[in-house]
PDB file of all heavy atoms in Angstrom:
ATOM      1  N   TYR A 635      -7.856   3.629  17.965  1.00 98.00           N
ATOM      2  CA  TYR A 635      -8.155   3.742  16.529  1.00 98.00           C
ATOM      3  C   TYR A 635      -9.562   3.741  16.188  1.00 98.00           C
ATOM      4  O   TYR A 635     -10.316   2.796  16.712  1.00 98.00           O
ATOM      5  CB  TYR A 635      -7.404   2.528  15.787  1.00 98.00           C
ATOM      6  CG  TYR A 635      -5.781   2.698  15.851  1.00 98.00           C
ATOM      7  CD1 TYR A 635      -5.079   1.991  16.675  1.00 98.00           C
ATOM      8  CD2 TYR A 635      -5.251   3.660  14.943  1.00 98.00           C
ATOM      9  CE1 TYR A 635      -3.716   2.190  16.671  1.00 98.00           C
ATOM     10  CE2 TYR A 635      -3.969   3.846  15.015  1.00 98.00           C
ATOM     11  CZ  TYR A 635      -3.087   3.028  15.963  1.00 98.00           C
ATOM     12  OH  TYR A 635      -1.743   3.124  15.967  1.00 98.00           O
ATOM     13  N   GLU A 636     -10.061   4.672  15.402  1.00 98.00           N
ATOM     14  CA  GLU A 636     -11.464   4.882  15.162  1.00 98.00           C
ATOM     15  C   GLU A 636     -11.710   5.045  13.678  1.00 98.00           C
ATOM     16  O   GLU A 636     -10.908   5.578  12.971  1.00 98.00           O
ATOM     17  CB  GLU A 636     -12.067   6.021  15.900  1.00 98.00           C
ATOM     18  CG  GLU A 636     -11.725   6.184  17.398  1.00 98.00           C
ATOM     19  CD  GLU A 636     -12.449   5.134  18.151  1.00 98.00           C
ATOM     20  OE1 GLU A 636     -13.535   4.568  17.618  1.00 98.00           O
ATOM     21  OE2 GLU A 636     -12.026   4.747  19.220  1.00 98.00           O
ATOM     22  N   VAL A 637     -12.897   4.534  13.234  1.00 98.00           N
ATOM     23  CA  VAL A 637     -13.358   4.759  11.927  1.00 98.00           C
ATOM     24  C   VAL A 637     -14.153   6.070  11.940  1.00 98.00           C
ATOM     25  O   VAL A 637     -15.095   6.091  12.775  1.00 98.00           O
ATOM     26  CB  VAL A 637     -14.148   3.707  11.364  1.00 98.00           C
ATOM     27  CG1 VAL A 637     -14.702   3.974   9.842  1.00 98.00           C
ATOM     28  CG2 VAL A 637     -13.278   2.249  11.257  1.00 98.00           C
ATOM     29  N   ALA A 638     -13.748   7.024  11.264  1.00 98.00           N
ATOM     30  CA  ALA A 638     -14.543   8.374  11.164  1.00 98.00           C
ATOM     31  C   ALA A 638     -14.245   8.987   9.793  1.00 98.00           C
ATOM     32  O   ALA A 638     -13.263   8.842   9.204  1.00 98.00           O
ATOM     33  CB  ALA A 638     -14.090   9.245  12.308  1.00 98.00           C
ATOM     34  N   ASP A 639     -15.232   9.825   9.403  1.00 98.00           N
ATOM     35  CA  ASP A 639     -15.221  10.530   8.183  1.00 98.00           C
ATOM     36  C   ASP A 639     -14.848  11.933   8.539  1.00 98.00           C
ATOM     37  O   ASP A 639     -15.612  12.595   9.281  1.00 98.00           O
ATOM     38  CB  ASP A 639     -16.570  10.520   7.531  1.00 98.00           C
ATOM     39  CG  ASP A 639     -16.726  11.229   6.113  1.00 98.00           C
ATOM     40  OD1 ASP A 639     -15.829  12.020   5.846  1.00 98.00           O
ATOM     41  OD2 ASP A 639     -17.677  10.848   5.504  1.00 98.00           O
ATOM     42  N   LEU A 640     -13.721  12.418   7.971  1.00 97.00           N
ATOM     43  CA  LEU A 640     -13.334  13.849   8.332  1.00 97.00           C
ATOM     44  C   LEU A 640     -14.392  14.956   7.978  1.00 97.00           C
ATOM     45  O   LEU A 640     -14.496  15.954   8.538  1.00 97.00           O
ATOM     46  CB  LEU A 640     -12.147  14.267   7.294  1.00 97.00           C
ATOM     47  CG  LEU A 640     -11.544  15.629   7.493  1.00 97.00           C
ATOM     48  CD1 LEU A 640     -11.040  15.836   9.013  1.00 97.00           C
ATOM     49  CD2 LEU A 640     -10.278  15.599   6.564  1.00 97.00           C
ATOM     50  N   LEU A 641     -15.400  14.644   7.121  1.00 97.00           N
ATOM     51  CA  LEU A 641     -16.411  15.451   6.662  1.00 97.00           C
ATOM     52  C   LEU A 641     -17.615  15.358   7.655  1.00 97.00           C
ATOM     53  O   LEU A 641     -18.665  16.075   7.421  1.00 97.00           O
ATOM     54  CB  LEU A 641     -16.736  15.346   5.202  1.00 97.00           C
ATOM     55  CG  LEU A 641     -15.626  15.776   4.305  1.00 97.00           C
ATOM     56  CD1 LEU A 641     -15.962  15.514   2.938  1.00 97.00           C
ATOM     57  CD2 LEU A 641     -15.113  17.129   4.507  1.00 97.00           C
ATOM     58  N   ALA A 642     -17.561  14.410   8.521  1.00 98.00           N
ATOM     59  CA  ALA A 642     -18.752  14.109   9.527  1.00 98.00           C
ATOM     60  C   ALA A 642     -18.210  13.631  10.718  1.00 98.00           C
ATOM     61  O   ALA A 642     -18.585  12.569  11.281  1.00 98.00           O
ATOM     62  CB  ALA A 642     -19.767  13.156   8.741  1.00 98.00           C
ATOM     63  N   LEU A 643     -17.389  14.519  11.387  1.00 98.00           N
ATOM     64  CA  LEU A 643     -16.730  14.128  12.684  1.00 98.00           C
ATOM     65  C   LEU A 643     -17.764  14.079  13.825  1.00 98.00           C
ATOM     66  O   LEU A 643     -18.657  14.911  13.845  1.00 98.00           O
ATOM     67  CB  LEU A 643     -15.475  15.060  12.927  1.00 98.00           C
ATOM     68  CG  LEU A 643     -14.326  14.810  11.974  1.00 98.00           C
ATOM     69  CD1 LEU A 643     -13.334  15.937  12.245  1.00 98.00           C
ATOM     70  CD2 LEU A 643     -13.691  13.478  12.095  1.00 98.00           C
ATOM     71  N   PRO A 644     -17.410  13.244  14.840  1.00 98.00           N
ATOM     72  CA  PRO A 644     -18.111  13.295  15.991  1.00 98.00           C
ATOM     73  C   PRO A 644     -18.081  14.717  16.708  1.00 98.00           C
ATOM     74  O   PRO A 644     -17.069  15.265  16.775  1.00 98.00           O
ATOM     75  CB  PRO A 644     -17.554  12.290  16.957  1.00 98.00           C
ATOM     76  CG  PRO A 644     -16.805  11.340  16.038  1.00 98.00           C
ATOM     77  CD  PRO A 644     -16.426  12.182  14.872  1.00 98.00           C
ATOM     78  N   ALA A 645     -19.329  15.213  17.077  1.00 98.00           N
ATOM     79  CA  ALA A 645     -19.356  16.438  17.810  1.00 98.00           C
ATOM     80  C   ALA A 645     -18.382  16.619  18.957  1.00 98.00           C
ATOM     81  O   ALA A 645     -17.901  17.676  19.239  1.00 98.00           O
ATOM     82  CB  ALA A 645     -20.725  16.857  18.246  1.00 98.00           C
ATOM     83  N   ALA A 646     -18.245  15.517  19.713  1.00 98.00           N
ATOM     84  CA  ALA A 646     -17.408  15.638  20.928  1.00 98.00           C
ATOM     85  C   ALA A 646     -15.844  15.806  20.578  1.00 98.00           C
ATOM     86  O   ALA A 646     -15.171  16.217  21.376  1.00 98.00           O
ATOM     87  CB  ALA A 646     -17.468  14.256  21.715  1.00 98.00           C
ATOM     88  N   TRP A 647     -15.526  15.610  19.288  1.00 98.00           N
ATOM     89  CA  TRP A 647     -14.128  15.917  18.912  1.00 98.00           C
ATOM     90  C   TRP A 647     -13.866  17.341  18.589  1.00 98.00           C
ATOM     91  O   TRP A 647     -12.659  17.694  18.449  1.00 98.00           O
ATOM     92  CB  TRP A 647     -13.782  15.028  17.557  1.00 98.00           C
ATOM     93  CG  TRP A 647     -13.561  13.585  17.958  1.00 98.00           C
ATOM     94  CD1 TRP A 647     -13.881  12.951  19.120  1.00 98.00           C
ATOM     95  CD2 TRP A 647     -13.227  12.600  17.077  1.00 98.00           C
ATOM     96  NE1 TRP A 647     -13.717  11.587  18.998  1.00 98.00           N
ATOM     97  CE2 TRP A 647     -13.258  11.356  17.702  1.00 98.00           C
ATOM     98  CE3 TRP A 647     -12.835  12.625  15.739  1.00 98.00           C
ATOM     99  CZ2 TRP A 647     -12.958  10.235  17.124  1.00 98.00           C
ATOM    100  CZ3 TRP A 647     -12.483  11.537  15.096  1.00 98.00           C
ATOM    101  CH2 TRP A 647     -12.536  10.160  15.726  1.00 98.00           C
ATOM    102  N   ARG A 648     -14.791  18.189  18.422  1.00 98.00           N
ATOM    103  CA  ARG A 648     -14.698  19.690  18.018  1.00 98.00           C
ATOM    104  C   ARG A 648     -13.884  20.367  19.159  1.00 98.00           C
ATOM    105  O   ARG A 648     -14.405  20.397  20.353  1.00 98.00           O
ATOM    106  CB  ARG A 648     -15.911  20.196  17.729  1.00 98.00           C
ATOM    107  CG  ARG A 648     -16.523  19.894  16.458  1.00 98.00           C
ATOM    108  CD  ARG A 648     -17.677  20.709  15.993  1.00 98.00           C
ATOM    109  NE  ARG A 648     -18.549  20.074  15.223  1.00 98.00           N
ATOM    110  CZ  ARG A 648     -19.769  19.674  15.298  1.00 98.00           C
ATOM    111  NH1 ARG A 648     -20.490  20.006  16.348  1.00 98.00           N
ATOM    112  NH2 ARG A 648     -20.410  18.876  14.317  1.00 98.00           N
ATOM    113  N   GLY A 649     -12.801  20.911  18.763  1.00 98.00           N
ATOM    114  CA  GLY A 649     -11.963  21.646  19.907  1.00 98.00           C
ATOM    115  C   GLY A 649     -11.508  20.731  20.990  1.00 98.00           C
ATOM    116  O   GLY A 649     -11.270  21.385  21.946  1.00 98.00           O
ATOM    117  N   ALA A 650     -11.302  19.627  20.764  1.00 98.00           N
ATOM    118  CA  ALA A 650     -10.953  18.616  21.911  1.00 98.00           C
ATOM    119  C   ALA A 650      -9.519  18.129  21.925  1.00 98.00           C
ATOM    120  O   ALA A 650      -9.163  17.611  22.953  1.00 98.00           O
ATOM    121  CB  ALA A 650     -11.862  17.332  21.692  1.00 98.00           C
ATOM    122  N   PHE A 651      -8.619  18.501  20.897  1.00 98.00           N
ATOM    123  CA  PHE A 651      -7.246  17.902  20.924  1.00 98.00           C
ATOM    124  C   PHE A 651      -6.147  18.986  21.096  1.00 98.00           C
ATOM    125  O   PHE A 651      -6.270  20.003  20.391  1.00 98.00           O
ATOM    126  CB  PHE A 651      -7.094  17.162  19.712  1.00 98.00           C
ATOM    127  CG  PHE A 651      -8.098  16.026  19.593  1.00 98.00           C
ATOM    128  CD1 PHE A 651      -9.148  16.164  18.935  1.00 98.00           C
ATOM    129  CD2 PHE A 651      -7.723  14.781  20.276  1.00 98.00           C
ATOM    130  CE1 PHE A 651     -10.087  14.937  18.744  1.00 98.00           C
ATOM    131  CE2 PHE A 651      -8.621  13.681  20.153  1.00 98.00           C
ATOM    132  CZ  PHE A 651      -9.683  13.884  19.395  1.00 98.00           C
ATOM    133  N   ASP A 652      -5.156  18.739  21.971  1.00 98.00           N
ATOM    134  CA  ASP A 652      -4.128  19.638  22.100  1.00 98.00           C
ATOM    135  C   ASP A 652      -3.145  19.643  20.991  1.00 98.00           C
ATOM    136  O   ASP A 652      -2.491  20.646  20.740  1.00 98.00           O
ATOM    137  CB  ASP A 652      -3.353  19.203  23.427  1.00 98.00           C
ATOM    138  CG  ASP A 652      -4.232  19.294  24.718  1.00 98.00           C
ATOM    139  OD1 ASP A 652      -4.847  20.393  24.964  1.00 98.00           O
ATOM    140  OD2 ASP A 652      -4.372  18.240  25.395  1.00 98.00           O
TER     141      ASP A 652
END
Side-chain angles (χ1 to χ4, degrees):
Y635 288 104
E636 306 292 336
V637 176
D639 181 341
L640 181 56
L641 298 174
L643 293 172
W647 289 6
R648 286 191 201 118
F651 297 96
D652 299 305

